[in-house]
Amino acid sequence: MPKKRSGGGLTTTQQAAKFLGVAALSGAVLAGIALPAAGALGLAAKGTVEEFDEIPSNLKTPPLSQRTTILDSEGGAIATVYSRDRTVVPLKDISPYMQDAIIAIEDSRFYEHGAVDLKGILRAMNRNVQEGGAAQGASTLTQQYVKNVFVEEAGDDPDKVAEATQQTLGRKVRELKYAIQVEEELGKKKILENYLNITFFGQQAYGVEAASQRYFSKHAKDLKVGEAAMLAGLVQSPTRYDPVNDTKEATKRRDTVLQRMAAVGSISQSEAEAAIAAPLELKVSKPKNGCITAVSGAGFFCDYVRKTILNDPTFGKTEEERSKLWNLGGLTVRTTLSPRAQAAANEAATSKVNKDDKVAASVVQVEPGTGKILSMGQSRPYGLDQTKHETMINLGVTHEMGGSTYGFQVGSTFKPITAAAALEKGISPAESYTTDWKISLPKSSFRDCSGAPTGSDNWDLQNELESEKGSWDMTSALGKSINTYFAKLEQKTGLCETVEMAKKMGYERGDGKEIEENASITLGGEVSTPLSMASVYATFANRGTYCSPIAIESITDANGKKVGVPKTECSRAMSEPTADSISQMLKGVVEDGTGTLAGLSDRDNAGKTGTTNDRLDAWFVGYTPNLSTAVWVGDDVGEKTTKMYDITIGGQYYDKVCGGCLPGPIWKTAMTGALNASETPSFHPIAVPRAKEKEKEKDKGRGEDNDGGNDNGDPGADPVGGITLPPGFIGGNDGGRNGRNGP
């Protein structure tokens, strides 16, 4: 009859026997207890675990979630993002003090036993019996490591975490079985290395390198004995012994570890006493995680990079695969962000619009010929605190990539697309139309790409000013942004041809839907984004070849292996003469047209203004041969009810906001700051035909100048033989009343 100890229950020996009896249900466990961590262990285990599956390979080398570093194009860090703040390091880069401390306090016989420590189990059981509870555990470092792997794999799923940590016999048996095989296949040094890299040390720090940086702002290889002891002490209870919140408890725990290190011979008693006498001397580095910590106002760009990895099929066929790559982290992401351009975009976006204004500004810059996104700036800062007028909405991109729900109507900035479609169809820039300031066109004369008419009623539209009536050719109509001209030009060119040109140039809606084939598209009735418009105009700068925008140059994983990234896709949207002609005509907009406040005096530049119905949106989009920039200003909140009439923005009063008077100067600031003064490439010269001389004379009769124009502002000069610039760019509109239904 079994003997019972005083007070009832089994004796220590009987409890041990009971444990061994349970373990014997799995011969592998018993083998692991009985045998050392040598080859014999593996043979015994293999002969007794036929009912078990083979050990998962990721238990030997688990993919540990680490921090991802996002860099700019010059290698400077933009932000660090992670689901687990961890940097995996080899054992040689971990202080010997740290290695000794964790072994001393967690598993002092680590190098003497196999996966399971029988002496430790008996000692723990005896202690627990004496104290009437679970005062001491008996898990080896190897067992703890296996448990941590299961917890790591569970990620942030609470159900999976609970399953990985539940105190059941089944889980213990599985844990022991895997521990045995891990001991055989990895060996002690590798297990110690893996353990120190996977363990949680509190304060969002996973692994000893992150913990060393968090508490002492140094690398793990540089830890001193007292520092190592404090970190080792955290493992048992990161919350209870948190030195940031309870220095007294953390110090007591550190001292316990130091005494234990002396007891097992890792350090001398005098070393322990000296370390105990010293204060903790923390040098805490606060966790910095996510795009909210991005430097140089690059939070929106950082988030665009994150969205790219989570959405682009290059990073995985399924959403789950892409999320796994991002959450696993350990990536070094080299981006296209230019520090110089980003600084310029930030300055420009906030130069004329304050963060607490009723409206906001967005600036996006793209490099022609490469598709590289060089900057993304906004007047409202990136963040979650609405009391500080922060926002997480990237006004420069589509809804799918973190932008507004629909995007923004683009106003007259669409007109050059219609002009390009017309030129590609063989319509001359000299094509002229004579109209009143108001006209009405039958919708049946506009047919979509299926050949169907867009309607049976009329499209009524008008120019900005009643005085804007008469004759225009393509050059003068672009310069003065004449709505009636472009409605008639689209009528002749074809609605489908216009829409197809927009698609070839990279024009896309902000809500991701297909472009609607309505006649009002030529006046900017369709919604889009600053990134899309910057890419569209980069096609002109690149002499007719569109290159899709990209934000990532290269990626390497935690092992230094290259990860495939999306490449820009370039395709010809129009002929070179067409693109060169558009550039030549748009030069006039910034020299003598609606965009004179935006014009750059030191280099070739071109652009177009735009506003929409009720001045809810105002634009300036323009370019040089080596940089394309789109600027949008408007209502970024809710249902877009802020009409930019009689409004104060950035401390300046506007009776009515126009594309040239607010977005234009912002564009100039962004371009001036981003461009290198020593690099001033020119547009390809081309002669742009004009309307007949008598039509020019008619324009003159309305008080307009026949301006030949040149880079020096001399109206009598002709910089390129045969090239003339539009007559009378002074005054006029910039595409007002451009709503999809017309005024």
Side-chain angles (χ1 to χ4, degrees), residues 51 70 181 489 579 730:
E51 68 273 23
I70 300 177
Q181 294 195 35
L489 183 64
I730 304 300

Side-chain angles (χ1 to χ4, degrees), residues 179-251:
I180 292 166
Q181 294 195 35
V182 166
E183 280 267 351
E184 177 193 8
E185 298 189 28
L186 291 186
K188 293 293 187 180
K189 290 289 186 181
K190 189 62 178 178
I191 290 170
L192 179 60
E193 176 185 300
N194 287 2
Y195 177 86
L196 287 169
N197 278 304
I198 200 172
T199 299
F200 180 54
F201 288 88
Q203 289 287 328
Q204 303 179 37
Y206 289 80
V208 67
E209 176 67 17
S212 182
Q213 292 287 354
R214 181 74 73 254
Y215 296 109
F216 300 110
S217 299
K218 62 170 58 176
H219 293 294
K221 65 181 179 180
D222 299 322
L223 289 169
K224 299 176 182 178
V225 62
E227 297 165 339
M230 192 211 78
L231 293 182
L234 284 172
V235 171
Q236 186 182 90
S237 179
T239 302
R240 178 181 175 184
Y241 301 122
D242 183 348
V244 176
N245 296 316
D246 196 333
T247 303
K248 185 177 180 180
E249 278 295 308
T251 302

